[in-house]
Amino acid sequence: MPSPRRTALLCALAATAAVLPAAPAHATPPAPVLHFGACPDSVPAPPAPDRVECAHLHVPVDRSHPDGKQLRLAISRVRASGPASERRGVLLVNPGGPGGPGLAYAVTKRAKLPERVRRSYDVIGFDPRGTGGSAPADCGPMGGLFESPGPDPVPVGRAAERAALDGLRRTADDCARGVKDALPFLSTTQTARDMDAIRAALGERRIGFLGVSYGSYLGAAYAARFPHRTGRMVLDSVVGPWDWYDFDLRQARAMVRQRAVFFAWAARSSDRFGLGTDRAAVRAAYLRVRAGLARHPVDGFGPAEFDRTVYRALGRTERWAGLAEGLRAWLRDGSVGPLRPAEPFDGAASRTYEAANRTVKCADGPPPAPSRVLADLRRLTAHPVLTGMEASVCAYWHHRPAHRTPLGGPRTPPVLLIASAHDPVTPLAGARALQRRLPGSRLVTLHHDYSHGVFASRGNRCVDEAAAAYLVDGRVPHSDVHCAGPGLPTP
C-alpha cells in the first residue's frame, strides 16, 4: 500500500496545467510550471519549521527532437528560512558521481550549510537523468561486475588480461542492451541542459550552484553552455578538465600515494592495530590480506570486494581506523566482517549508480583505445589497488562521441573552487587546471587535509566562511585562499 506521502505526490503531479493560447511556431515554448507536493519516503524530512517538497519535470531524452520521447526528472526543494529581504535565489546542489542521485541532498547537504546560506537560498536537489527517480539506467549484469566474489581487478598474465578486456566488452554490450537509444543522451551536457530547464521552470533568471566531486564537472559544463544564466557557483573537490579515462588514471595513482600515507599512519599506532611498526611492515601485512583473499575468498568477499573497501576508506580519513582494524581482524582469525560494507554492492541503488557512472563517462568524450587500456593495466598491476577506472569500458562502448564536454570558458562569471590538498579522489591538480578555464575564479585550498569533500563537510571555519561570504554577499576573494587543515587523525 502506498504511503500517504507518495499518494499526495501522485495526486499533486496528476494536476493539469492551465491551457495557454497557441504560440507562433517560431516562438520558444513557455517553461512548464512545477507542482510541488509530498516527497517519496527516501527523502528525509528537515527539522521543523523547514519542510521539503518534491516535483517532477518532463524533458526530452534527445533535445534535437523536443517532441519525442521524454524522461521525468525528480526535483526537491527546501525553501530559504530567512525573510524575503535576505533571499538570494535558488541553489541547485549535486553530490557527485556521475551516477549519484541528488533528491535527498537538498535536505542532507542543506543541514550542514552555514545558517546564512540556509536563510538566503531555496536549496534545490534533483536526480540527474539516469539516476534515482529520473529514468534510472539499467545495464543488467554489466559483464559480471556484480558477481561475488568478483574477478581480481588486477590481471596478471595473458589469460587474465584477455578475461579483463572481455569483461569490459561484455559490460559495454550489456549497457547497450539496457540503456538502448538513450545511450548517447545520458551525458553531462544533457544534464546541464536539464539544470537550465529546472531554472526556467522555477522562474529564475540565474541559478546558484553547489557541486561536489563530479558535481564540479557538471557545474563547469553548465557554466560553459549557459554563462549568462550562471549565478554564484561553488565547485568543491574538483574533477579536473580531462578526459574521464585520464582522470581515472590520475585518481588511481593518487590512491596509491594515499595508501602509502595510510601505511605510515597505521605504523605509528602499532600498539592499537598490530600491523607493523613501519610503513614497509604495514604494507606487507596489507598485501598478505589481499593475497589471502585472492586465494581463498570468504563468503563471497575476495580481492575485488577488498579493493572497493580500500578505495572507499582511503578517500576519508575518518574511515582509516576501520580499515586498519579490518586488516587486523583478517590476520587474526580470517574474518572479513569489519571490511565488508554495510550496503551490498549488488543492491538496486548500487546497480543504478554503476550503470549511470559508465554511461555518463562514455557519453562525455572520445574513448581510449583498447591497446592503451591494456598497457595501463600492465603498469598498474605493480600496485594492487585497482579501483575506479570505470572509463576503461569506453574502449568498447557502442556510442563513440567525437568531442569532449566543454568546461568553463572566457564568459563564465567568477567561480569559487574548493579543494583538499591531499584528496586522492579528486587530486588538487584538477582544481588548478579547471581554475585556468574559469577567468576571475578563486581557489580555496584546505592544507594538511587528506579527505574528499570540504565545504560544509570538514567543519573548517576558514573554508566555510569564505564560501558563505561568496554565496550570500557575492564577495569574491582578492586572491586564492589558503586554510589550515586538521592533519591526519589521531587513531
Side-chain angles (χ1 to χ4, degrees):
M1 179 176 179
S3 69
R5 296 179 76 195
R6 290 182 186 274
T7 302
L9 176 60
L10 292 172
C11 291
L13 295 175
T16 56
V19 177
L20 299 175
H26 62 275
T28 300
V33 176
L34 294 176
H35 299 281
F36 282 95
C39 291
D41 293 338
S42 59
V43 178
D50 296 329
R51 65 187 185 92
V52 61
E53 50 191 357
C54 290
H56 286 116
L57 176 66
H58 288 85
V59 296
V61 173
D62 176 3
R63 282 186 165 82
S64 66
H65 296 90
D67 297 324
K69 186 177 180 180
Q70 306 283 303
L71 63 81
R72 193 174 71 163
L73 298 176
I75 302 166
S76 59
R77 176 174 68 185
V78 182
R79 289 188 180 273
S81 58
S85 60
E86 295 183 24
R87 190 176 185 275
R88 297 293 184 270
V90 299
L91 184 70
L92 267 69
V93 293
N94 179 273
L103 196 68
Y105 203 55
V107 176
T108 58
K109 187 62 177 181
R110 182 184 180 275
K112 301 176 183 178
L113 294 174
E115 183 181 4
R116 295 180 63 210
V117 178
R118 299 197 304 269
R119 291 176 63 86
S120 301
Y121 284 94
D122 297 349
V123 179
I124 309 296
F126 69 106
D127 287 340
R129 57 172 58 200
T131 75
S134 299
D138 181 3
C139 287
M142 294 191 71
L145 180 66
F146 303 105
E147 293 174 1
S148 177
D152 193 329
V154 181
V156 178
R158 300 290 178 167
E161 290 175 351
R162 286 194 298 271
L165 294 180
D166 182 62
L168 295 176
R169 185 183 295 105
R170 289 185 289 118
T171 298
D173 292 345
D174 287 340
C175 286
R177 279 190 292 269
V179 182
K180 301 184 176 67
D181 294 342
L183 205 65
F185 307 111
L186 298 188
S187 69
T188 298
T189 295
Q190 292 302 321
T191 299
R193 297 184 71 173
D194 293 342
M195 287 169 52
D196 200 58
I198 294 171
R199 174 204 59 78
L202 290 168
E204 300 286 338
R205 291 179 59 246
R206 293 183 179 87
I207 55 171
F209 183 73
L210 168 59
V212 181
S213 195
Y214 164 72
S216 67
Y217 186 95
L218 175 59
Y222 182 87
R225 189 170 188 90
F226 303 105
H228 56 297
R229 295 174 186 160
T230 300
R232 295 166 191 174
M233 179 175 284
V234 174
L235 306 181
D236 180 12
S237 301
V238 179
V239 172
W242 307 299
D243 290 337
W244 277 115
Y245 183 77
D246 290 333
F247 170 80
D248 286 352
L249 275 177
R250 290 170 183 262
Q251 185 189 81
R253 296 181 186 120
M255 283 289 175
V256 171
R257 292 192 297 270
Q258 185 87 327
R259 188 184 60 172
V261 176
F262 165 77
F263 291 157
W265 174 85
R268 289 195 292 271
S269 297
S270 59
D271 290 345
R272 174 179 175 181
F273 301 124
L275 300 175
T277 57
D278 59 31
R279 178 185 296 177
V282 176
R283 184 179 190 274
Y286 169 95
L287 293 176
R288 285 200 304 275
V289 175
R290 195 184 188 282
L293 289 169
R295 289 191 303 270
H296 303 292
V298 179
D299 297 330
F301 193 91
E305 293 73 22
F306 176 79
D307 280 3
R308 283 194 289 268
T309 292
V310 172
Y311 174 92
R312 180 178 182 275
L314 289 179
R316 298 283 298 201
T317 54
E318 61 265 32
R319 298 171 183 159
W320 286 16
L323 175 59
E325 289 168 352
L327 297 174
R328 181 183 61 178
W330 187 91
L331 290 167
R332 183 183 61 236
D333 57 24
S335 63
V336 296
L339 292 170
R340 194 184 294 275
E343 298 296 327
F345 183 62
D346 62 350
S350 176
R351 286 176 176 270
T352 297
Y353 178 90
E354 299 296 336
N357 181 283
R358 287 156 179 79
T359 302
V360 171
K361 285 189 172 185
C362 295
D364 277 358
S371 58
R372 183 185 175 194
V373 172
L374 182 57
D376 289 327
L377 282 173
R378 288 171 176 165
R379 293 188 189 99
L380 287 167
T381 52
H383 308 283
V385 54
L386 191 57
T387 50
M389 299 294 295
E390 297 93 355
S392 298
V393 74
C394 304
Y396 298 99
W397 210 246
H398 290 221
H399 167 64
R400 306 178 76 79
H403 305 288
R404 296 169 58 184
T405 303
L407 301 174
R411 295 185 299 152
T412 302
V415 170
L416 193 70
L417 300 96
I418 301 175
S420 166
H422 304 287
D423 175 6
V425 182
T426 51
L428 178 59
R432 291 171 174 159
L434 185 60
Q435 185 182 20
R436 292 192 285 272
R437 298 192 180 196
L438 298 167
S441 64
R442 297 290 183 263
L443 173 60
V444 179
T445 303
L446 182 61
H447 296 277
H448 309 296
D449 188 76
Y450 295 78
S451 288
H452 184 61
V454 181
F455 172 48
S457 177
R458 304 297 292 154
N460 185 274
R461 182 175 178 180
C462 171
V463 171
D464 291 356
E465 287 184 352
Y470 168 81
L471 286 171
V472 178
D473 305 324
R475 193 186 311 156
V476 180
H478 294 298
S479 59
D480 290 346
V481 178
H482 299 274
C483 298
L488 293 171
T490 301

